[in-house]
Each structure stands twice: as structure tokens, then as C-alpha cells.
Amino acid sequence: MSRYPIIKNTIDYIETHLEDELSLEMVANFAGFSKYHFHRVFQKEIGMTVMEYVRTRRIAVSASQLLYTDQKIIDIAFQYHFETQESYTRAFKKIYKLPPGHYRRIMSTVTLQREDTELKKEQAIKGWFLSGSHPFHYEIGIDRKNFHKGKASGYLKAVSTESIGKFATMMQEFKAEKYLGKRIKLSGFLKSKSVEGFCGLWMRVDNSLGDVLQFDNMGDRPVSGDTEWNHYFIVLDVPENSSVISFGVLLSGSGQVWIDQLNFEEVDEAVQTTNINFSKDILEEPINLSFEEIE
């Protein structure tokens, strides 16, 4: 956990240098570690090596450029430091199952048709729904231009000038049975734009009566303003009497947040929970009843 801020700062560094020369040694030097040690630390936390992450992000950004610009494929390949168009094509096809030229022709048509349809009706997202204090001041949707990996991301956006002091969430709920007695980690990538309040992942574990057993909304490590894609996580225990697990992305106030590549995994007790302990502020007995005591 103590090294996680270093990982986040390193991802910020990578995101702002995707079009620059990047090597494991350069990234490790930025992080302040030897390249061999940082290789292990990064892979353990993110699930891929540093250079796999760099290549994956370069290919994802290039996929968007294929659809939304008329840049030549060879120029895109060189822009993201592929030595030849052939090496770029092999790397691209490994992820998207199509060579870049075919992807551009096929997906451009599909994307334009989909966007035209979405102008005519509100977009629904399988498995997700909009909730919060004032959900009608917000919208959720799928963004096929801004994504961390693959072909799309989800987003939550304030659409009203009256969103200050209000919040909404794009969320899901599922039964807790599979995770009873376990410690689980929700992780994913977020990107924000013009967030004047805050945004972040959240997760809650409830019992059958609706009582909150475990909860974290990243309130002590909020994301605000303009940020590029970065990795965030929540770790909670799932007590034996748990019934429902809820999770999603939260946006308080104005702005927009994107979410992509969510992952659930079981972790051991060596991984510290991020649960907000509401009981720690509850007194053992009443105090200062005459208001004479001072701090």
C-alpha cells in the first residue's frame, strides 16, 4: 500500500509521455527504483509489466485516432514509437483482432451508425444504472473515443448547472454469496475533466436488513479537476452475514468522470482494507454534559 502513490505518479508520468521515448529504465528512474525492482512492484499492482502497459495504452490511443482522425496509419505507428508499420500492425491485431486499416474501415461505419442512433434515444448500459441524490442532473453513457483499453469506457457526467452540492453514481449491485468471509479488491482506471467537487470509485457491503457492514467512497483520497487515466482501488471485507455488494463510480458536483477496466479479485489479509470505520468516533459514554470542559 505504501508504494501505491508512487505507482499512481508513475502512471501519470506515462500518460503524459505516451508520444515520447519511454523505457523501463526511464520510468523506473522517475519512480526512484531500480528497473528490476520497479518491474516487479508495478506488475504486482497493475497486472502487467511497465512496458506492456505503455504499449497497451499507445495502441488504445491510436485506435481512437484511427476512428476520429484521417492520419495515415504509418504516421500513427511512428507517433507511438513503433519502428515499422508492420510491427504496429502485429501489436494492434493482437489486441483488436483486426489490422489497423480494416479496423478503421469497419469500426468507423459501426461507430457512426451507433452515434447517430444514440442521438435519438437515451443510451442504456448493460448491467449499470444511474442513482444518487439528484440523478436527473447527471447522465451516464458509453464513450468510444476516450477509453483506457479496448473499444469503450463508461462515463458519468453532470449536465445541469444546478449540480453543485449534488451527486450521482453509475452503479451495480450483486449478491455477496460468492465472497462471504473473504477480502475483495475492486480496482479500475479513472479519468476526470473539470470536476469541481470530487469523484472516485466506491463500494459497499450490506446485510439482508440493509445495514452497512463495510464502505469506502475514496472520500479520503478524492479525484478532482482534470486528470488523465490512472489506477485506483478499494479493499473491503465481506462478513459472513453479508447479503449485497454495491459498487460504482461517484461524481459529486460538476464535471465528468470516465471509468474503464474494472476488476474484482480476492486478496489475503496482508492487503490492508480501505473501509471507513464509522464506529471509531463513537464514544464509550457521554462526556462534557455541562459544557465546562475544553479541548
Side-chain angles (χ1 to χ4, degrees):
M1 290 287 186
S2 61
R3 290 172 180 163
Y4 189 70
I6 298 173
I7 297 290
K8 286 181 75 276
N9 289 339
T10 303
I11 291 176
D12 276 336
Y13 173 78
I14 291 172
E15 290 291 327
T16 56
H17 291 82
L18 287 174
E19 297 183 27
D20 302 329
E21 185 70 34
L22 281 174
S23 67
L24 172 58
E25 188 170 8
M26 292 169 64
V27 177
N29 284 341
F30 173 82
F33 289 94
S34 73
K35 63 181 183 180
Y36 302 107
H37 181 64
F38 190 69
H39 170 86
R40 293 192 296 271
V41 170
F42 191 93
Q43 185 172 24
K44 181 179 180 181
E45 187 61 48
I46 304 301
M48 64 179 75
T49 68
V50 174
M51 297 316 294
E52 284 174 341
Y53 180 87
V54 170
R55 175 164 289 210
T56 297
R57 285 294 297 134
R58 283 173 168 170
I59 292 174
V61 175
S62 75
S64 181
Q65 289 182 233
L66 287 170
L67 298 183
Y68 294 95
T69 76
D70 57 1
Q71 277 185 277
K72 293 180 180 179
I73 293 175
I74 191 170
D75 291 337
I76 293 176
F78 290 154
Q79 181 180 355
Y80 292 103
H81 295 268
F82 289 89
E83 294 182 357
T84 65
Q85 184 170 330
E86 289 73 22
S87 63
Y88 171 63
T89 297
R90 286 195 299 271
F92 189 93
K93 190 175 180 180
K94 187 176 181 180
I95 293 178
Y96 289 95
K97 312 306 178 186
L98 290 170
H102 291 177
Y103 180 87
R104 171 176 264 172
R105 288 193 294 273
I106 294 171
M107 295 306 297
S108 292
T109 303
V110 172
T111 301
L112 288 173
Q113 289 175 342
R114 185 183 289 115
E115 288 177 349
D116 182 61
T117 301
E118 288 166 1
L119 288 174
K120 300 174 183 177
K121 64 178 183 179
E122 184 177 355
Q123 186 176 9
I125 309 175
K126 181 179 179 180
W128 296 90
F129 61 93
L130 178 65
S131 186
S133 66
H134 293 73
F136 42 87
H137 289 304
Y138 297 81
E139 71 174 25
I140 63 175
I142 294 175
D143 191 332
R144 289 182 168 81
K145 188 173 182 180
N146 296 290
F147 48 85
H148 186 264
K149 184 180 179 182
K151 299 177 183 178
S153 67
Y155 72 82
L156 172 60
K157 179 181 180 180
V159 294
S160 169
T161 57
E162 301 175 16
S163 59
I164 297 176
K166 302 173 176 62
F167 76 91
T169 175
M170 180 167 66
M171 64 175 289
Q172 290 191 35
E173 294 180 329
F174 62 94
K175 295 179 180 179
E177 293 176 8
K178 180 180 176 181
Y179 297 101
L180 293 180
K182 299 178 180 179
R183 180 167 292 183
I184 59 173
K185 178 179 180 180
L186 165 66
S187 61
F189 288 85
L190 299 180
K191 174 181 178 178
S192 65
K193 181 180 179 181
S194 303
V195 174
E196 294 187 3
F198 76 94
C199 61
L201 297 175
W202 68 273
M203 183 163 60
R204 191 182 70 222
V205 182
D206 296 341
N207 63 17
S208 59
L209 298 177
D211 299 324
V212 179
L213 304 179
Q214 293 267 297
F215 175 73
D216 181 21
N217 66 354
M218 289 181 54
D220 59 347
R221 53 197 192 285
V223 179
S224 61
D226 297 329
T227 64
E228 282 300 329
W229 288 108
N230 215 320
H231 187 256
Y232 303 90
F233 66 87
I234 285 173
V235 179
L236 296 180
D237 288 325
V238 184
E240 293 290 349
N241 62 333
S242 301
S243 177
V244 177
I245 299 174
S246 306
F247 71 98
V249 61
L250 170 75
L251 174 60
S252 176
S254 59
Q256 182 171 357
V257 57
W258 289 263
I259 184 170
D260 201 0
Q261 283 187 272
L262 290 179
N263 182 55
F264 272 96
E265 60 181 312
E266 181 183 349
V267 296
D268 58 36
E269 293 188 0
V271 180
Q272 184 179 352
T273 72
T274 61
N275 177 53
I276 299 174
N277 187 359
F278 296 104
S279 63
K280 66 181 180 182
D281 295 324
I282 299 178
L283 301 173
E284 294 292 334
E285 57 185 29
I287 63 171
N288 198 21
L289 300 183
S290 62
F291 303 97
E292 301 295 329
E293 300 175 34
I294 60 175
E295 293 291 345

